[in-house]
Amino acid sequence: MNKLALGTAQFGSKYGIANNLGQVKFTEVEQILKLAKNSNIDLIDTAIGYGNSEKVLGKIGVKDFKLVSKLIDLPHNCEDVNRWVEEKVEISLKLLGIQSLYGLLVHSSKNLLDNSGKKLIKALNNLKINGLVKKIGISIYDPIELDQVMHLNKFDIIQAPLNIIDRRLEVSGWLSRLSKSGVEVHTRSTFLQGLLLMKQNKIPKKFNKWQSILDQWSIELEKNSLNAIE
């Protein structure tokens, strides 16, 4: 079953290629959360690294939602990985005003491959055992990362980019494999930070080398009488 979730990077910082307005105002966040609730969207994705997103969400109140957050990078030479992870999660829970997270993701898979990787995985599993987190997982940028880390632990959630241009998760076969193994897949970058919604003359010049792909996208929309969101 496919469902919509609400991403919150813009709630805590100026985020997005197409973002000309900066961080979303508090009153607008309130309206967005209200609309999400009324539309039966019950999952919110946030992260420690999303500026003050968790604080904003907590002030408004998110007890009616399932919350997924992400750790920041594990510090080099961290002496007590378990305690570090616990402290980060405790801070997030306090900011969000909730008792437990639906999901906690490692924001960078390389943290699982360095010398502290095993300790980090153990810390994540301890959080599940202690009831502070229901599900654990990884946020990735490239499906190749899954080849490197999926054998390390039984992960419940994988978050990855997927959109009409970037179909690596599907083409690699990982989307099907994850689904068959019962892993919950959370996709992001649906509109490439708004790039796929922008008018051609508004797209930053740094994307010129992908102009042929963007032109094709524009042609397909016009040919099928669709707007980009449709």
Side-chain angles (χ1 to χ4, degrees):
M1 179 174 63
N2 298 321
K3 296 185 68 177
L4 290 176
L6 178 65
T8 62
Q10 277 185 301
F11 293 179
S13 62
K14 181 181 179 180
Y15 174 86
I17 295 165
N19 182 5
N20 295 317
L21 301 176
Q23 183 176 334
V24 179
K25 294 178 181 178
F26 186 85
T27 53
E28 288 184 76
V29 176
E30 286 183 306
Q31 293 171 6
I32 291 169
L33 291 181
K34 184 177 181 180
L35 177 61
K37 184 179 178 182
N38 292 338
S39 302
N40 295 317
I41 295 173
D42 64 353
L43 191 141
I44 293 176
D45 177 82
T46 189
I48 295 171
Y50 287 176
N52 63 341
S53 172
E54 292 184 334
K55 184 177 181 180
V56 170
L57 291 170
K59 280 188 175 182
I60 296 171
V62 289
K63 291 182 179 178
D64 293 332
F65 295 90
K66 297 184 292 186
L67 272 294
V68 175
S69 191
K70 308 178 198 73
L71 292 169
I72 56 174
D73 276 341
L74 188 68
H76 292 297
N77 302 318
C78 181
E79 293 184 1
D80 191 340
V81 175
N82 192 69
R83 186 59 200 146
W84 180 86
V85 171
E86 280 185 354
E87 287 176 352
K88 295 303 177 187
V89 171
E90 287 168 359
I91 292 171
S92 288
L93 292 175
K94 185 175 181 180
L95 288 172
L96 291 165
I98 57 176
Q99 298 298 312
S100 64
L101 289 168
Y102 175 75
L104 179 68
L105 309 182
V106 175
H107 215 153
S108 177
S109 65
K110 73 178 189 301
N111 287 160
L112 301 175
L113 299 171
D114 64 19
N115 294 334
S116 299
K118 290 182 179 179
K119 293 180 181 179
L120 178 56
I121 289 172
K122 186 176 181 180
L124 293 172
N125 283 303
N126 283 341
L127 290 173
K128 285 180 67 175
I129 293 169
N130 294 330
L132 293 178
V133 171
K134 184 176 181 181
K135 300 187 177 187
I136 59 173
I138 319 164
S139 175
I140 65 164
Y141 293 89
D142 191 313
I144 291 173
E145 297 173 56
L146 297 176
D147 297 325
Q148 301 170 324
V149 300
M150 285 303 287
H151 67 283
L152 299 175
N153 189 66
K154 188 181 184 305
F155 296 107
D156 307 300
I157 299 173
I158 296 297
Q159 187 187 95
L162 181 67
N163 54 69
I164 201 160
I165 289 176
D166 182 359
R167 309 199 68 82
R168 291 172 297 170
L169 190 66
E170 179 185 10
V171 173
S172 66
W174 268 110
L175 183 59
S176 176
R177 289 167 64 183
L178 293 170
S179 178
K180 288 177 181 177
S181 61
V183 176
E184 201 169 300
V185 179
H186 294 189
T187 65
R188 66 174 189 276
S189 301
T190 305
F191 300 118
L192 278 175
Q193 295 189 23
L195 179 66
L196 297 178
L197 305 181
M198 298 177 75
K199 298 293 184 183
Q200 290 283 65
N201 62 348
K202 298 292 184 180
I203 295 175
K205 291 182 179 179
K206 64 181 178 180
F207 294 102
N208 283 352
K209 62 181 177 180
W210 294 288
Q211 192 61 51
S212 61
I213 297 174
L214 296 171
D215 286 343
Q216 185 181 349
W217 168 234
S218 182
I219 291 168
E220 287 296 317
L221 291 176
E222 187 174 349
K223 186 169 70 175
N224 291 284
S225 300
L226 296 169
N227 64 49
I229 293 178
E230 289 172 324

